[in-house]
Amino acid sequence: MASMSMWTFLQAMCLVASLSMAVPENYEDDIEVGFEPNYFNEITEGDNMEDITVSPEPCKSPAFTKWDKLFTMLENSQMKENMLLQYTDDIIKVELQSLRGEMLQFVAQYGGSCASAVESLVRRAGTQTETRLQNALERVREVSADQYRRHDTALQQLLAGSVNQAARLERLENGCVKWGGEGMPPQAKSIQTRHLMQEVIEPENGGRLEKTLATISSELQTIREQLTLYTRSTFANMLPSGCDTGLLFPTRSSTAHVEVSAKKTFQTNAVTICLWVKPTQVLNKTILFTYSTTGNAYELQLVLNGQSVFFTVNGEAHLVEASGAVQESQWVHICAVWSSQQGLASLWVNGQQAASSPGVAEGHELRNKGSILLGQEYGRHFRHFSKPDTFDAEQAFTGKMTGVNMWDHVLDSKEISQQARLDGSGCGIRGNVVAWAVSDIEPKGGVKLIY
């Protein structure tokens, strides 16, 4: 217990010592405390010595201890601190009042111009908005008027067509009435009342009219069937996309193929191949297009596998596949696109992207002076100066092919879709490496050039 009291006393002494050393540093004025005894018992000349009672000993000043002196110093420092805080508060109040006055003066001086500027800006924005609304209304009125004119024209055409049809029906009725004999009543004027007319007609004339109408109906049905067959046959033999010529691969044989001569030699890092095909029969592996070089017989290949299309670059290990793209006896437009940058390859079917794959032969470069083959492949034993005469019949293509083009760069989606229109003129778009109807082609093994 005594040790604890001693430790508390030492802590208090340290605190007092630190405060006594810090107080003179925090204030500019020095605190002077006098401890000498002060005596205020001096006798002036005006005092009467007789009236003064002399005490036996002078007055003694009270004795100040160290604690009294310390508390006196603390009180003086506290007073000075309060004075400084009050002074700081007064300064802040004065500065805030001055700032407020300056702000009021600024608002009074420039508030009018700012308000006028804002008002002018709002007025100008309102004028622009009103102008735009008026322009939009004018455009809407113009479009409405144009639509009204179109609708009116269409209605006029429909009315004229209905009048024309009514006249033709009336002529047909008149002819039927004449064929029916003189006993036909004059009020029978429409087809809808023919069954009523037949009840009034004499048996011989009525039988003859009914037989005549049945004969005409039978002949019309026969003509309609013949026109349908002719239309189907014409459409089946017609080449797509405005192409004038095509290739017919009649049978699957070991000699049927077509050799194509490129317009120029090329060595490129990108390629686009487009063609129209109409396969007669689709098996597991059917070759459409092959580009071979002396070092690699499988530089580029387009292959049908069932209803899927494969596009390979630099061998079968690097390919992209589009499933369900081909149907037997139907024209389909196929485009294969590849770029060595990031190895991005894609297949387009009828103008739409059907498959895409990165990392296909990335960084590969197509060699020049190669050979292009349609409907077959040379195989892995190909040499540039010793081309084989026969091929694998199981891989041969059967059907029709046209619009074969090749570019040494990547085509965009718009250029591809323009070629894929069945009733368009896509055959007029030709490649810069292989151009259909321009590049030399040599059909062999029974392949025919059709028109």
Side-chain angles (χ1 to χ4, degrees):
M1 192 71 180
S3 61
M4 185 177 297
S5 301
M6 189 65 180
W7 173 248
T8 304
F9 177 77
L10 290 176
Q11 286 182 343
M13 290 301 294
C14 291
L15 178 61
V16 170
S18 59
L19 288 175
S20 63
M21 292 177 66
V23 168
E25 293 177 359
N26 293 333
Y27 298 96
E28 296 179 357
D29 299 333
D30 295 333
I31 300 174
E32 295 180 359
V33 181
F35 299 99
E36 293 84 7
N38 294 325
Y39 301 101
F40 299 95
N41 55 355
E42 294 181 0
I43 301 173
T44 59
E45 295 179 357
D47 295 334
N48 190 357
M49 294 296 296
E50 296 178 356
D51 298 331
I52 298 174
T53 304
V54 180
S55 59
E57 58 182 5
C59 296
K60 293 183 179 180
S61 61
F64 292 100
T65 64
K66 292 182 179 181
W67 290 106
D68 293 333
K69 297 177 183 178
L70 178 61
F71 288 142
T72 302
M73 292 173 61
L74 290 175
E75 289 176 358
N76 292 337
S77 63
Q78 186 67 32
M79 291 175 59
K80 289 187 178 182
E81 183 178 359
N82 292 336
M83 292 173 63
L84 289 174
L85 290 175
Q86 182 66 30
Y87 180 70
T88 304
D89 191 20
D90 294 341
I91 291 176
I92 292 175
K93 288 181 180 179
V94 172
E95 293 295 331
L96 288 176
Q97 290 178 357
S98 176
L99 181 60
R100 181 174 181 276
E102 292 178 359
M103 289 297 294
L104 292 175
Q105 183 179 0
F106 177 80
V107 171
Q109 184 176 357
Y110 298 102
S113 59
C114 291
S116 61
V118 171
E119 183 180 0
S120 175
L121 180 61
V122 171
R123 189 183 300 110
R124 185 162 55 252
T127 304
Q128 293 178 357
T129 304
E130 185 178 0
T131 304
R132 291 179 180 176
L133 288 175
Q134 290 178 354
N135 294 335
L137 288 174
E138 290 295 332
R139 287 196 296 269
V140 169
R141 292 194 187 100
E142 292 176 359
V143 172
S144 300
D146 185 53
Q147 292 291 337
Y148 177 78
R149 287 193 297 270
R150 291 182 180 179
H151 292 167
D152 186 61
T153 303
L155 290 175
Q156 293 294 335
Q157 292 176 355
L158 288 174
L159 181 60
S162 63
V163 171
N164 187 18
Q165 292 294 332
R168 293 175 64 184
L169 289 174
E170 186 176 0
R171 287 195 298 270
L172 181 60
E173 290 178 15
N174 293 334
C176 292
V177 169
K178 288 181 181 179
W179 294 341
E182 296 178 357
M184 180 67 66
Q187 66 270 20
K189 297 295 183 180
S190 64
I191 296 178
Q192 289 83 354
T193 60
R194 186 175 291 116
H195 64 284
L196 297 176
M197 295 189 302
Q198 291 178 356
E199 295 179 357
V200 184
I201 299 174
E202 295 178 358
E204 295 181 359
N205 293 336
R208 186 170 57 186
L209 176 60
E210 185 176 356
K211 184 178 180 180
T212 303
L213 291 176
T215 303
I216 294 174
S217 177
S218 177
E219 291 178 355
L220 289 175
Q221 183 66 25
T222 303
I223 293 173
R224 185 181 294 111
E225 292 176 356
Q226 292 177 354
L227 286 175
T228 302
L229 292 175
Y230 176 77
T231 303
R232 290 179 179 176
S233 176
T234 303
F235 183 77
N237 294 325
M238 183 181 63
L239 296 174
S241 195
C243 296
D244 297 327
T245 59
L247 294 170
L248 174 61
F249 296 77
T251 58
R252 188 182 300 273
S253 69
S254 60
T255 58
H257 68 283
V258 177
E259 296 180 1
V260 181
S261 299
K263 292 174 57 178
K264 66 175 185 178
T265 59
F266 67 96
Q267 186 168 354
T268 180
N269 295 325
V271 69
T272 301
I273 304 168
C274 293
L275 49 83
W276 283 95
V277 292
K278 183 182 179 182
T280 304
Q281 186 180 19
V282 178
L283 299 179
N284 290 335
K285 185 176 181 182
T286 302
I287 307 299
L288 296 179
F289 180 99
T290 303
Y291 176 69
S292 304
T293 61
T294 53
N296 189 352
Y298 306 102
E299 281 281 0
L300 296 171
Q301 270 198 328
L302 265 176
V303 181
L304 297 182
N305 190 354
Q307 294 183 347
S308 300
V309 181
F310 289 171
F311 175 44
T312 65
V313 182
N314 193 27
E316 296 183 358
H318 306 90
L319 61 85
V320 58
E321 176 185 358
S323 302
V326 180
Q327 299 290 333
E328 292 182 355
S329 301
Q330 292 186 10
W331 283 107
V332 60
H333 186 260
I334 301 172
C335 276
V337 182
W338 170 78
S339 174
S340 65
Q341 184 178 5
Q342 297 181 356
L344 186 60
S346 59
L347 277 170
W348 297 69
V349 178
N350 293 329
Q352 302 293 326
Q353 184 173 330
S356 178
S357 178
V360 176
E362 183 176 355
H364 181 65
E365 185 177 39
L366 296 178
R367 299 181 181 180
N368 58 1
K369 298 181 180 180
S371 297
I372 299 174
L373 207 62
L374 301 180
Q376 265 295 353
E377 67 178 11
Y378 285 118
R380 62 183 70 256
H381 301 294
F382 165 71
R383 294 293 182 270
H384 189 67
F385 297 104
S386 60
K387 299 178 182 178
D389 296 328
T390 60
F391 306 90
D392 187 356
E394 296 297 326
Q395 298 179 359
F397 171 74
T398 57
K400 295 180 181 179
M401 185 182 299
T402 187
V404 182
N405 291 283
M406 180 177 177
W407 293 262
D408 59 357
H409 57 272
V410 173
L411 297 186
D412 57 27
S413 58
K414 184 177 180 180
E415 294 172 316
I416 293 175
S417 61
Q418 287 177 350
Q419 303 177 58
R421 292 184 57 185
L422 188 65
D423 57 347
S425 57
C427 269
I429 303 174
R430 295 181 173 88
N432 63 342
V433 177
V434 174
W436 185 250
V438 176
S439 299
D440 294 333
I441 59 174
E442 187 177 356
K444 294 184 178 181
V447 180
K448 300 178 181 179
L449 191 63
I450 58 177
Y451 300 91

